[in-house]
Amino acid sequence: MKSFKRPRVALLVESSRGYGRGILWGIAKFVREHEPWSIFFQDLNLCDGTPPWLKNWRGEGIISRLENRDVVGVIRRLKLPAVYLRHVRPGTGMPSILADNAAISRLCFKHLEERGFRHFAFCGFNGADYSDERRAAFAKSVNEAGWQCHVYSEGRRPAKGDTARYEGLGLKDGGSVANWIKKLPKPIGLMACNDVRGQQVLDACRATGLASPEEIAVVGVDNDEVLCNFSEPPLSSVIPNAERVGYETAALLSKMMDGFKPEPVESFVEPTGIVTRRSTDVLAIEDRQIAAAARFIREHACQGIDVSDVLRAVPMSRSTLDRRFIKFLGRSPKDEILRIRLNRVKQLLAETDFPLALIAEKVGVEHVEHLSRIFKSRLKMTPSEFKSQSLTRDKSNVSTSVRPDFGGLAEDFSKSLEFTGVPRLRNGKNR
């Protein structure tokens, strides 16, 4: 009988943050669904040095997120299939899979713009590559829409450093962040480069007596549920789809271990969406009547309402409502009702197996044929075409819920995989 040997794979991915845990969950998902691996796992920090054991390690594949000068050289000398989860350096010969920072920033801008904000700001860890990329993309989205983006640029920065150093210095900026925030125009929508920075911004708001989300609405990135819910108010955050990054990384490495030779290029995974919490649960509208009308629509659009229901909730003439609504939101009350309904339709198509008739009922549309016509008119595709595209795009995706207890991941891994060779180290540093 032919013996079966599990491929030995080294994982150099941190678990101390939501993004790293998501990657590990995606890898675990792929392995459970396809083939068992013998996992060599060491919980390192993003900027740790190359672990000594790796230099003479014998295995079949490597997945690494380490950011240091020599890890790529060590991996190349081992001549093993490897996928690198940082930016590909010239001449490495390794493929890389990354979160799409440009798409993340566009999503943040759209999220804030839809809430009526006309002033925008970005606060990041200046010098950290992911933060600088998100800052540039967010500012571009703001500028292309005709607005100005206020960027935090205070604080001392070294000429050279790694991500951990830039983040560490940034976390000492509390006073200068607070002073910068006080000078911003209000109300303002602010994107933080990640949830850590977002929590710090909200702390600065409280320290300066500024109301969030009424004066400053803040959205972070990573959807680290522990950090987001520790924040006050709870922090809205982008889900960067780290689990899909992990799943696709494992799928690519599996092919490489079977002999596939990919091009050494960077691939990007778009974010899943935004979890809206209280830090952006607001409409930035100075007109109180229109703010109330917009809030009524947001809360009741999928209950079959029309503009007459809005007028009963916020009494004024239809022409006045239309004129003032367009002035502040750039669209009519009728269009806003339809926009919210269609967003809900897209969500239900992508996330459920509900028939279209049930979806129409859930969004307050009486006739399914009417819903199909509107959907195709606005999105240039039928509901079934949209669902097919969603399934194709997400066929390797897994649940995007964040599991803050990494011990559960280790236990789940151990039930289906073989841990070998390297102790699982624990520490509190971050990516």
Side-chain angles (χ1 to χ4, degrees):
M1 184 176 183
K2 184 178 179 180
S3 62
F4 174 76
K5 183 180 179 181
R6 295 183 175 193
R8 292 162 295 181
V9 176
L11 301 182
L12 308 178
V13 180
E14 83 284 2
S15 70
S16 53
R17 289 289 184 87
Y19 187 78
R21 292 194 297 272
I23 288 173
L24 292 168
W25 274 110
I27 294 170
K29 173 72 172 176
F30 175 85
V31 173
R32 287 196 301 270
E33 289 182 355
H34 294 84
E35 59 178 320
W37 288 353
S38 179
I39 297 294
F40 287 67
F41 173 69
Q42 183 170 350
D43 186 17
L44 300 163
N45 303 308
L46 183 65
C47 298
D48 277 352
T50 305
W53 58 264
L54 184 65
K55 296 178 181 180
N56 298 305
W57 183 68
R58 294 183 179 181
E60 280 68 52
I62 299 172
I63 295 172
S64 176
R65 238 175 74 80
L66 288 184
E67 178 188 333
N68 68 53
R69 292 181 180 274
D70 71 340
V71 67
V72 174
V74 170
I75 293 173
R76 291 184 68 190
R77 285 193 294 273
L78 290 171
K79 297 182 179 180
L80 295 175
V83 183
Y84 194 48
L85 302 181
R86 300 287 296 165
H87 282 295
V88 175
R89 301 173 187 177
T92 64
M94 286 192 294
S96 181
I97 299 178
L98 306 162
D100 190 334
N101 286 326
I104 286 171
S105 295
R106 289 193 297 268
L107 188 61
C108 284
F109 169 69
K110 195 66 177 176
H111 178 75
L112 294 169
E113 185 189 41
E114 287 178 351
R115 280 151 178 77
F117 287 97
R118 297 299 178 260
H119 298 292
F120 301 91
F122 182 92
C123 187
F125 294 120
N126 297 324
D129 57 359
Y130 72 90
S131 177
D132 292 349
E133 290 171 9
R134 291 170 186 175
R135 178 192 66 213
F138 185 76
K140 180 180 179 183
S141 293
V142 172
N143 295 335
E144 287 179 347
W147 310 107
Q148 178 184 0
C149 183
H150 302 266
V151 175
Y152 176 75
S153 59
E154 300 176 29
R156 298 178 61 184
R157 295 291 176 270
K160 292 183 179 180
D162 57 26
T163 297
R165 189 175 184 193
Y166 291 126
E167 289 183 341
L169 289 170
L171 290 174
K172 298 177 182 178
D173 286 348
S176 57
V177 168
N179 290 332
W180 173 71
I181 285 174
K182 285 192 293 186
K183 300 173 186 176
L184 295 174
K186 313 293 188 306
I188 193 165
L190 183 147
M191 176 184 175
C193 66
N194 64 7
D195 295 337
V196 175
R197 198 57 147 170
Q199 184 186 35
Q200 186 187 34
V201 168
L202 290 174
D203 287 344
C205 289
R206 288 202 311 278
T208 55
L210 295 171
S212 178
E214 290 76 15
E215 293 180 275
I216 300 182
V218 182
V219 58
V221 181
D222 284 343
N223 195 38
D224 189 317
E225 291 192 357
V226 174
L227 282 175
C228 291
N229 287 292
F230 272 152
S231 301
E232 182 53 43
L235 178 66
S236 297
S237 186
V238 176
I239 307 171
N241 216 347
E243 294 189 25
R244 184 178 170 193
V245 172
Y247 192 101
E248 293 192 357
T249 296
L252 177 58
L253 183 65
S254 179
K255 291 173 64 179
M256 292 170 68
M257 291 189 295
D258 286 339
F260 174 65
K261 303 292 185 182
E263 292 294 322
V265 297
E266 295 180 338
S267 301
F268 298 92
V269 173
E270 292 190 356
T272 302
I274 291 180
V275 176
T276 302
R277 300 183 179 91
R278 282 200 290 119
S279 70
T280 60
D281 189 13
V282 68
L283 289 171
I285 302 172
E286 296 178 0
D287 187 316
R288 291 188 176 183
Q289 282 187 302
I290 298 304
R295 187 177 303 110
F296 178 84
I297 291 173
R298 183 176 54 172
E299 294 174 353
H300 302 286
C302 294
Q303 297 174 10
I305 66 167
D306 57 24
V307 178
S308 63
D309 295 300
V310 181
L311 291 170
R312 279 190 288 271
V314 186
M316 66 180 77
S317 71
R318 173 68 181 265
S319 60
T320 299
L321 175 66
D322 284 345
R323 184 179 67 254
R324 287 161 62 181
F325 212 93
I326 291 171
K327 175 183 176 182
F328 286 103
L329 276 80
R331 52 187 172 270
S332 70
K334 182 178 179 181
D335 284 338
E336 178 68 357
I337 293 171
L338 181 59
R339 184 187 70 83
I340 293 173
R341 284 178 177 168
L342 289 178
N343 283 343
R344 179 61 173 158
V345 170
K346 290 190 290 183
Q347 180 187 14
L348 291 172
L349 286 171
E351 298 179 2
T352 74
D353 293 323
F354 293 162
L356 191 59
L358 179 57
I359 292 176
E361 180 183 336
K362 286 184 174 293
V363 301
V365 176
E366 186 174 354
H367 300 293
V368 67
E369 296 82 6
H370 180 55
L371 175 61
S372 294
R373 286 196 300 271
I374 295 174
F375 194 96
K376 185 173 183 180
S377 173
R378 293 300 178 104
L379 277 77
K380 309 306 179 185
M381 67 178 73
T382 65
S384 60
E385 289 170 342
F386 177 87
K387 187 173 184 66
S388 295
Q389 285 191 9
S390 298
L391 290 172
T392 300
R393 183 169 59 249
D394 297 328
K395 64 182 179 180
S396 63
N397 194 12
V398 293
S399 170
T400 55
S401 61
V402 178
R403 306 160 178 85
D405 180 8
F406 183 65
L409 174 58
E411 179 182 356
D412 201 15
F413 258 132
S414 65
K415 290 178 181 177
S416 57
L417 310 179
E418 176 187 346
F419 275 99
T420 330
V422 182
R424 296 195 300 275
L425 304 182
R426 303 289 302 209
N427 51 56
K429 295 183 180 179
N430 59 354
R431 77 170 186 167

